[in-house]
Amino acid sequence: MHKNTTLLISLGVLLLLIVGTWWAGRPSETSIVGYDLLELSDTTKISRIEMISDENSVILSKVNGKWLVNDKYKVDRSIRNFLVGVLKLVRVKREVGPSQLAEVKQWMASGRKVIISGGQGMLAEFTAAGNPSKTESYFTLAGESKVYQVELPGYPNYVSGIFEFTENQWRNRLLFSSDWRSIQSLTIDYVDDQKKDVTIAFDKTTLKVADLPEADTLVLENYIQQYEAFFTNEFISKGQIPVYDSLMDATPVATIRLRDIDSAKNTELDVYPGPTDQPYVLLKDEAGNYSVCDAGRVRSLLISLDDLRPEK
């Protein structure tokens, strides 16, 4: 009898601990700070992320193991990883009080509706927005009237900004991903007849420069190394940056053609002139996609035969 009484008391204490732990995980007026509002700790289940607004809607979807933006372009992996981190780690900073609620709800009206889905259906639905100065982020769950200011612990910047990215900003910005062992040929074709074209091709055991009996090995290796992971800054559409619109109809100053063992890495890139007062150069790939890239990095690709000659 004594043993049974002791056992019952032990079970009762255990039950209280379980209930207490469950209750502690629920949001309340006293425990709302730090609460996991989205409850998306297992982000591996996510296969579709919709970010919807009247002027800009983006859908990220996982197709055959690869993430695409609006079913057209590869998604930038680093940005997607950051988004997944936001969904997993974002926490409530405070519930918006009555005195500020009307103003914040006006901001929410122009926010992004976010729908997170997986193989088993919808995982979360909420609206993300921020104050006009983009210093505070706010979430509200679908079907609820409460609005919460949220934060990413250790991240001082604007959390809701990730949901405001355009289609072009979500795109994978990788233009070249070839190396010394995989490049079959690389040509810099200059439009100006005063500049001699440069052709680098694989010859039995190594890369050699056409029309140059001997090249500076170190210069050539450093040059080729740029193609291992060359990213443009951002893809753009006509009208997005007006100063570049007229250049889209201009003649390029050079075309870079790279052929790789892996044909999927074959790339043809047009380089456009100027504008001289801008820090970026306009590029166009063989599919007709325009992007802007740091002028200095692009200039380093436009090498000449003189640059490759060994010093005497």
Side-chain angles (χ1 to χ4, degrees):
M1 181 71 178
H2 177 70
K3 288 183 179 179
N4 289 339
T5 302
T6 302
L7 179 61
L8 287 172
I9 292 172
S10 299
L11 289 174
V13 171
L14 180 61
L15 181 60
L16 287 173
L17 287 173
I18 293 172
V19 172
T21 302
W22 170 80
W23 186 263
R26 298 176 70 252
S28 67
E29 292 300 322
T30 57
S31 68
I32 195 66
V33 176
Y35 179 66
D36 182 1
L37 188 67
L38 303 181
E39 298 182 336
L40 289 171
S41 57
D42 186 5
T43 54
T44 60
K45 297 178 180 179
I46 298 173
S47 60
R48 184 179 176 89
I49 304 171
E50 302 173 56
M51 294 162 280
I52 305 166
S53 71
D54 292 337
E55 65 278 354
N56 174 41
S57 292
V58 171
I59 297 176
L60 308 182
S61 55
K62 194 174 185 180
V63 180
N64 298 324
K66 295 181 180 180
W67 282 88
L68 300 178
V69 51
N70 291 342
D71 294 323
K72 293 187 291 185
Y73 308 112
K74 292 180 181 179
V75 173
D76 186 299
R77 182 182 298 179
S78 62
I79 302 178
R80 179 183 62 81
N81 287 344
F82 178 74
L83 171 62
V84 171
V86 169
L87 295 173
K88 184 175 183 177
L89 300 174
V90 68
R91 295 292 183 268
V92 171
K93 185 174 183 179
R94 68 181 179 92
E95 181 182 338
V96 177
S99 62
Q100 194 190 8
L101 190 58
E103 180 183 28
V104 174
K105 283 193 172 183
Q106 286 184 334
W107 301 339
M108 300 303 295
S110 59
R112 298 296 191 276
K113 178 181 178 181
V114 183
I115 303 174
I116 313 296
S117 305
Q120 303 302 314
M122 190 170 67
L123 302 174
E125 182 178 346
F126 62 97
T127 297
N131 61 343
S133 60
K134 308 294 185 184
T135 58
E136 298 173 353
S137 300
Y138 296 91
F139 284 8
T140 183
L141 296 178
E144 294 193 9
S145 58
K146 292 182 178 181
V147 181
Y148 303 95
Q149 183 179 352
V150 298
E151 62 180 353
L152 196 63
Y155 180 74
N157 297 322
Y158 179 53
V159 176
S160 291
I162 190 71
F163 303 104
E164 299 173 2
F165 277 22
T166 64
E167 176 184 88
N168 282 333
Q169 289 173 313
W170 278 106
R171 294 177 60 179
N172 182 5
R173 298 169 293 110
L174 183 66
L175 297 182
F176 296 106
S177 59
S178 301
D179 58 32
W180 188 279
R181 295 178 297 276
S182 67
I183 292 175
Q184 295 300 288
S185 67
L186 176 60
T187 301
I188 315 299
D189 184 2
Y190 293 102
V191 174
D192 187 350
D193 293 334
Q194 301 300 313
K195 293 185 177 181
K196 191 171 180 60
D197 297 343
V198 176
T199 298
I200 302 169
F202 185 78
D203 181 18
K204 296 181 181 178
T205 59
T206 189
L207 291 173
K208 292 187 177 180
V209 182
D211 300 324
L212 198 63
E214 185 181 355
D216 187 313
T217 304
L218 182 59
V219 173
L220 181 58
E221 288 179 353
N222 288 338
Y223 176 71
I224 294 298
Q225 192 173 27
Q226 298 176 99
Y227 291 89
E228 292 183 6
F230 189 91
F231 292 84
T232 192
N233 288 59
E234 183 178 341
F235 284 97
I236 64 171
S237 304
K238 197 157 190 174
Q240 183 176 334
I241 308 178
V243 70
Y244 291 99
D245 285 355
S246 60
L247 291 177
M248 293 180 179
D249 299 318
T251 301
V253 296
T255 299
I256 302 172
R257 297 184 178 88
L258 186 147
R259 295 295 176 264
D260 192 283
I261 291 176
D262 181 356
S263 60
K265 295 183 178 181
N266 290 349
T267 306
E268 186 168 309
L269 192 68
D270 288 337
V271 181
Y272 289 82
T276 56
D277 61 340
Q278 297 294 319
Y280 305 109
V281 169
L282 183 69
L283 305 174
K284 183 177 74 171
D285 64 23
E286 56 192 354
N289 299 302
Y290 290 96
S291 67
V292 288
C293 186
D294 298 307
R297 290 197 297 125
V298 174
R299 280 195 298 268
S300 68
L301 297 180
L302 301 180
I303 203 167
S304 69
L305 285 178
D306 288 338
D307 295 328
L308 292 165
R309 296 183 195 279
E311 293 184 4
K312 294 182 180 180

